[in-house]
């Protein structure tokens, strides 16, 4: 596995819908999905990250938003996800069957402004290290 299993916990799964033309996300661990100020990654069955990001509020809410953006783009209705990226999501799910979302909430670090969770720093480091296929910007 490319990400530390002791830190990153499975939270949700992404699969193709029955018609194979759209995707869906199912929560697999509600407690992990309640975490906020967290780093998440969509990974293949062998643990390779294909998308790494952060979420401010609940991880579950953020993960559940993926199908809406991707499916809207696949249907040709535009939106935040470019068509090329939506097609790559579709291709990955066709090839792998399932992608798993794993979530990690970094420990707070004491700063002059008080304690903060270094989510963006962790995200930046992981993106630089893994160069995930579906990250549009390499922070």
């Amino acid at each position: 596995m490319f990400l530390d299993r002791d830190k990153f916990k499975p939270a949700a799964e992404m699969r193709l819908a029955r018609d194979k033309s759209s995707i869906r996300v199912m929560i697999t661990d509600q407690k992990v999905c309640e975490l906020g100020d967290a780093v998440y990654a969509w990974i293949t069955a062998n643990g390779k990250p294909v998308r790494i990001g952060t979420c401010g509020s609940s991880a579950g809410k953020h993960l559940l938003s993926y199908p809406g953006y991707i499916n809207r783009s696949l249907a040709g209705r535009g939106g935040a996800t470019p068509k090329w990226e939506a097609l790559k999501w579709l291709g990955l799910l066709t090839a792998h069957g399932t992608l798993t979302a794993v979530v990690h909430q970094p420990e707070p670090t004491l700063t002059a402004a008080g304690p903060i969770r270094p989510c963006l720093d962790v995200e930046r480091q992981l993106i630089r290290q893994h160069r995930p296929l579906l990250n549009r910007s390499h922070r």
Side-chain angles (χ1 to χ4, degrees):
M1 179 155 173
F2 293 86
L3 300 173
D4 187 344
R5 285 184 191 214
D6 292 331
K7 292 180 180 178
F8 283 84
K9 302 296 181 198
E13 290 183 347
M14 183 185 292
R15 297 176 189 253
L16 286 173
R18 290 181 199 256
D19 67 1
K20 306 276 191 227
S21 66
S22 63
I23 65 158
R24 60 190 176 104
V25 170
M26 297 169 298
I27 299 299
T28 56
D29 189 323
Q30 187 61 45
K31 186 171 181 165
V32 174
C33 283
E34 291 171 4
L35 295 174
D37 291 327
V39 179
Y40 68 89
W42 286 103
I43 61 172
T44 61
N46 68 355
K48 181 177 180 175
V50 296
R51 176 72 167 247
I52 296 171
T54 61
C55 54
S57 61
S58 87
K61 182 177 178 184
H62 189 76
L63 298 172
L64 287 171
S65 72
Y66 270 79
Y69 295 119
I70 296 168
N71 291 335
R72 188 173 300 120
S73 181
L74 288 171
R77 293 180 298 179
T81 301
K83 182 78 169 196
W84 66 263
E85 182 183 325
L87 291 170
K88 285 193 184 279
W89 282 107
L90 194 60
L92 282 166
L93 289 167
T94 300
H96 295 279
T98 302
L99 297 175
T100 301
V102 292
V103 176
H104 166 60
Q105 186 182 53
E107 290 298 318
T109 301
L110 188 57
T111 69
I116 61 162
R117 293 191 192 276
C119 296
L120 293 175
D121 292 332
V122 172
E123 176 197 32
R124 189 177 299 115
Q125 178 183 354
L126 291 171
I127 290 172
R128 195 174 310 128
Q129 180 182 354
H130 296 288
R131 296 286 184 202
L133 176 67
L134 295 172
N135 275 86
R136 284 178 255 157
S137 67
H138 295 286
R139 293 182 188 220

